Amino acid sequence: LTQAEKAAVVTIWTKAANQADAIGAESLERLFSSYPQTKTYFPHFDLSQGSAQLRGHGSKVMNAVGEAVKNIDDIRGTLAKLSELHAYILRVDPVNFKLLSHCILCSIAARYPTDFTPEVHAAWDKFLSSVSFVLTEKYR
Amino acid sequence: MVHWSAEEKQLITSVWSKVNVEECGAEALARLLIVYPWTQRFFSSFGNLSSPTAILGNPKVRAHGRKVLTSFGEAVKNLDNIKATYSKLSELHCEKLHVDPENFRLLGDILIIVLAAHFASDFTPACQFAWQKLVSVVAHALARRYH
């Protein structure tokens, strides 16, 4: 990520941070609606709109994103534990990270349309790709 | 043949009726070229694509974006016959344009993001579902005649 890209990521996060939970829940809702196959990883959850589990999990996801933003120069170190969790315990198929990233971008675009310029869009796409890469790199 | 529920058709057509095809098409294509720069490989004759600003202001990009989204409108008008609608275009993209079908998926997702930015909370998850289905069906139809 270039300096400009890092700045673009941080700028949006500064605005989004206090709505992070809602963005997380919305992103998951979009994921489960558009890509029903992703629900197979949550048979133990109540995935209805507004459910406590959805909100809780959305929070978790966005907290991790936030940590990556705060430590954008060391995403790998910051997410090391999460990376192991996904590799050895959760084993979510790598294709799903792209799907969730896309839904996070949709949620951000819907909430901050004027800030979500093409350059900012590119920076966030790249950033979420890096996060996804780190989370799947220990798979094999 | 793809099955569309009445709700899906309604979500698709109501969004489409509010879309400014020229603006939306230009923006979608520009974002494709900016976010996934390797897609510029198909547009070497378009002139200056050296920066996001250049791409956004490039009249050939705007014109082509409009053309692409206008064609997309044909899918919306012919939801029950998308395969046939894109048969010739599919052959063209394979035989003359040599476009990897992955690019249709990339552009489809970019279009969804542009719609999300434009319609904000009106672009509900249910709405996104219908549109993801549509862009997927269009991408599939465009890839169908590849050989």
Side-chain angles (χ1 to χ4, degrees):
Chain A
L1 290 165
T2 65
Q3 287 307 113
E5 286 162 350
K6 289 178 191 176
V9 171
V10 170
T11 304
I12 291 270
W13 187 253
T14 311
K15 294 197 173 193
N18 57 2
Q19 282 193 57
D21 290 0
I23 293 173
E26 183 187 327
S27 300
L28 287 177
E29 215 190 310
R30 289 182 183 280
L31 180 73
F32 297 136
S33 282
S34 286
Y35 310 107
Q37 68 272 22
T38 55
K39 293 190 286 188
T40 57
Y41 292 97
F42 300 92
H44 52 300
F45 266 31
D46 165 16
L47 295 176
S48 56
Q49 202 197 16
S51 88
Q53 283 180 309
L54 204 58
R55 276 182 288 120
H57 200 69
S59 259
K60 254 191 194 169
V61 170
M62 293 314 279
N63 274 344
V65 170
E67 284 303 300
V69 174
K70 273 182 241 151
N71 299 282
I72 204 163
D73 288 318
D74 183 25
I75 297 177
R76 183 171 278 134
T78 305
L79 299 182
K81 285 257 172 313
L82 263 183
S83 179
E84 283 170 17
L85 181 75
H86 283 79
Y88 306 127
I89 318 281
L90 302 177
R91 290 169 294 187
V92 173
D93 191 287
V95 72
N96 296 288
F97 293 91
K98 262 196 196 167
L99 303 179
L100 179 56
S101 296
H102 172 64
C103 291
I104 292 174
L105 290 180
C106 285
S107 297
I108 293 178
R111 280 163 195 269
Y112 310 105
T114 35
D115 297 292
F116 199 67
T117 63
E119 292 97 320
V120 170
H121 175 172
W124 266 85
D125 189 294
K126 216 169 149 183
F127 167 67
L128 290 175
S129 288
S130 303
V131 170
S132 301
F133 179 76
V134 165
L135 291 176
T136 56
E137 72 179 331
K138 297 183 183 176
Y139 273 37
R140 56 178 173 174
Chain B
M1 217 190 73
V2 182
H3 171 74
W4 302 96
S5 72
E7 193 201 356
E8 287 163 359
K9 285 190 178 185
Q10 203 273 329
L11 288 168
I12 289 169
T13 52
S14 74
V15 165
W16 186 252
S17 67
K18 298 179 207 138
V19 165
N20 178 325
V21 173
E22 178 169 357
E23 283 306 319
C24 198
E27 189 178 346
L29 185 62
R31 281 182 188 258
L32 180 75
L33 299 174
I34 292 166
V35 178
Y36 308 115
W38 54 93
T39 57
Q40 292 170 25
R41 70 190 297 284
F42 302 108
F43 302 102
S44 49
S45 65
F46 273 29
N48 187 4
L49 299 178
S50 59
S51 70
T53 314
I55 292 170
L56 283 161
N58 186 311
K60 287 189 174 181
V61 171
R62 293 191 66 85
H64 196 69
R66 176 191 192 162
K67 190 179 190 183
V68 168
L69 202 62
T70 301
S71 166
F72 204 87
E74 289 303 302
V76 177
K77 271 184 240 148
N78 296 285
L79 287 175
D80 291 325
N81 204 6
I82 293 180
K83 257 192 306 210
T85 304
Y86 286 117
S87 184
K88 286 261 169 303
L89 265 182
S90 179
E91 285 171 15
L92 179 78
H93 281 78
C94 171
E95 290 160 15
K96 293 264 152 38
L97 305 177
H98 310 294
V99 176
D100 178 348
E102 179 60 22
N103 292 285
F104 308 142
R105 293 176 253 290
L106 288 179
L107 182 60
D109 276 351
I110 293 260
L111 176 61
I112 301 261
I113 289 176
V114 168
L115 292 177
H118 193 79
F119 292 98
S121 55
D122 286 341
F123 196 66
T124 61
C127 217
Q128 182 178 348
F129 171 72
W131 275 84
Q132 294 286 171
K133 191 171 165 180
L134 178 61
V135 301
S136 166
V137 169
V138 169
H140 191 258
L142 280 171
R144 196 161 170 276
R145 310 291 275 169
Y146 272 57
H147 56 89

